[in-house]
Amino acid sequence: MKIEELVLGGFGKWQDATFRFAPGINLFYAPNESGKSTILQGIFAALYGMKRDYVKSARYLPEYEKYRPWQSGAYETIITYNLAGKTYRLHRQLTKEREDARLFLDPEWTEMTELYLEDRRKERNFIEKHTGLTRSLFTDLTWIRREPLQAAEHLIPTFTTAEEANPAVQLILAELDREVAVIGKKERAENTLLGKAATKVAQKEQEKENAKEAWRTISQLTLQIAEATEECQQLELRRSRLEQRLDRSTGQAKALQERWQRSYAPVSQQDWTWWEQTARSEAELAIHEEARRGFTQVNMPTVVVQQSDDQLIPLQHDYEKGVQLLKQREALHIRLASLAVSALSTSPRSTASRRTRQGNQAKRKRGAALMWGGAGIFSVLGVIGFVSGHPVLGGVSVTAALLLFGFGVFLLRVKESTGEPKQIAENDTVQESQRVQEEIASLDAELAILVQKWGASNWDTFLERREELLKSTRTQQSEQLLSEMAKTKQEANLSASWGEALRTLLDQEKNALETEQGKLRIEMVEIEERLQELREQMARGNGEMAVHESLSLSRATDELEEAQAALRQLQNKRDALQLAREMLQEAVGEWRRDSTPAVNQQASEVIEHITGGAYRDVRLDPRDGFAIRLLSPTKQMVLEQDQCSTGTIDQLYLAQRLALVHHAKQSEPLPLFFDDHFVHYDEERLRRTLDYVAMLAQEQQVFLFTCHERELRMLEPLLRQENRHTVHRIG
């Protein structure tokens, strides 16, 4: 096997780094902390990935986190290697979230990934299929280091030759080991078939217990749901009743509001009947009855002395008739006065002497002054009559005042008239005056009859009688009006008292209804909350039942029996395999007796060459992990490797690894890896070791990592002479 190229896309400190290797010695020379060991680990990771060979509690190697990319980027590698004349290119993504491996074959880089099946670790094991070696075996054989073998128990089946052992026995023994490893020796192993079967049995036992518990839980939940359902029905019935009561209470509250508003309206006799018939309590009925009795007492008929309309109406009619007569009489008096004035103005004048006329003129002036004075007195009397409510007296006085005033004017202006026409006019005036006087006398007679009808001597007495009758009538009307007002006030007081008492009672009933409604609503809220709790409880119960119903006790019992049968079958198979393995141990023992000397001889040759003959006899014990024992030539004592010096221990590990890799069952030589292995070698033994390594490099690929110049100095002549080798300088 030859590794041609390594690409570290992201591995530790290296990012997008490419390394090409020679088929012989590849010497990596660089100081410490330069990344040499990272390249070595990158080769192993590129070949095998970063998972353990034999899955334990942790699937990944401890180095996984150590070699995560230091910089941002993918955790990936690409390696190209040649094996059995074919060139392969292996791509790996090492990130856990998207790990992937793809294999390509040269020259067309045909992808061959799907030809390799995944194992329990989700690995396709390309290199293991190519070399027959797991990662642990590969590093045990090829990585020359100062550590015991990590997979010694798996190393023996890799050794065989036609002369040394029967291949069929080795194959059977290896197959038995693998089968036993797959089945498992202990039931506590989690990743073996036996461990999984035991785990499954325990799981099924737990499932059976869970099914039993589920059955008990379902029974209990069924009872709880039934009780909750019954309680829900009772609560819903109770809520329905409360809703009915609340509706009735709401209707009563509306009725109370209507009665409250109606209590402000006037109450008729029909209303009293309605109030008494619709009374909601004895107290309310008592209020109505008491108020009704009060209204009845107020409305009782009272004896009222009323003036008969038969007397007042005729009196008023006669009064109006008398007023008309007086108006007519006044008009006639005014006519008579005007006739008198006319007669005076047309009377014949005397032909007396101027002195007589002057004397008459003086007399007329004195008579006119007297008349005008009387007219003024009568005018004052007329005004007083009108003001004091005696229009007849006022009218007569005014008429008299007008007549006196007219006569006064007539006396001043009268002249003597002569001639026949004036005499004729005077006669007509006299006749008209007589007629007017006759009409006045007729009116006076009619007026006298009218006032005498009522027992009065004159019109003033009649007016006094009329005023007395009107005053008496007004007094009676006032008394009746005051009585009606008192009655109305009493009714208003009774109505207000009744309304106040009724509203007080209605307030009490309203408060009682509101209190009842509040209690009903609180109770309904409590019922609703309880119903919600019960519904949630029933829903949870149904959900839990649905979960637990999936756990069938009979099915769990059957599955437990099947799991127990499978466990017994695996146990029987494991016992049979172990028995077969024990029977083949003799064959293995024969192989050990025949094969061990060859391995010991190879290791002895290596140690003799390195030590220059100081040590010649080495033994490897397969039963003790190929532990190394050394025969001291001077004392002839068998020495354990820990009893030797540090440099000798390193050389014994080198001899052990070279002997084992020489006898490993491989189609072609494997590469060898030295990582600062020669630190404790002295100059002489280092020279001999490098000579031996150079001899091995003729057929095998060697990777030598060092931080010292002496390896470079000792190998420099070889490296200059042949193109098969190369030096890689880092940093």
Side-chain angles (χ1 to χ4, degrees), residues 636-654:
Q636 295 295 309
M637 292 177 60
V638 177
L639 304 175
E640 299 290 338
Q641 60 187 24
D642 296 338
Q643 296 176 300
C644 300
S645 64
T646 302
T648 303
I649 292 174
D650 290 345
Q651 293 150 22
L652 289 174
Y653 277 120
L654 174 60

Side-chain angles (χ1 to χ4, degrees), residues 155-171:
L155 189 59
I156 294 176
T158 63
F159 301 151
T160 182
T161 62
E163 298 81 16
E164 292 174 340
N166 188 343
V169 174
Q170 292 298 329
L171 291 175

Side-chain angles (χ1 to χ4, degrees), residues 3 5-21 28 34-47 50 67-80 89-92 94 705 730:
I3 301 173
E5 183 181 73
L6 173 67
V7 179
L8 299 179
F11 195 87
K13 68 173 291 183
W14 297 107
Q15 185 175 17
D16 297 329
T18 302
F19 304 93
R20 296 194 60 83
F21 307 119
F28 289 82
S34 58
K36 301 188 301 299
S37 299
T38 304
I39 297 173
L40 176 60
Q41 291 290 346
I43 293 173
F44 294 148
L47 291 173
M50 296 293 283
Y67 292 106
R68 277 185 177 273
W70 292 5
Q71 303 173 359
S72 61
Y75 197 1
E76 63 180 354
T77 62
I78 303 173
I79 192 168
T80 305
R89 186 177 181 87
L90 179 55
H91 295 234
R92 285 191 183 275
L94 301 174
F705 300 88
I730 303 173

Side-chain angles (χ1 to χ4, degrees), residues 522-546:
I522 291 173
E523 191 173 356
M524 288 181 64
V525 170
E526 292 175 352
I527 289 175
E528 192 62 35
E529 290 177 352
R530 180 57 181 164
L531 283 172
Q532 185 64 27
E533 291 177 1
L534 291 174
R535 293 190 188 103
E536 292 176 357
Q537 179 181 346
M538 292 167 62
R540 287 195 301 269
N542 288 323
E544 292 180 12
M545 286 181 62

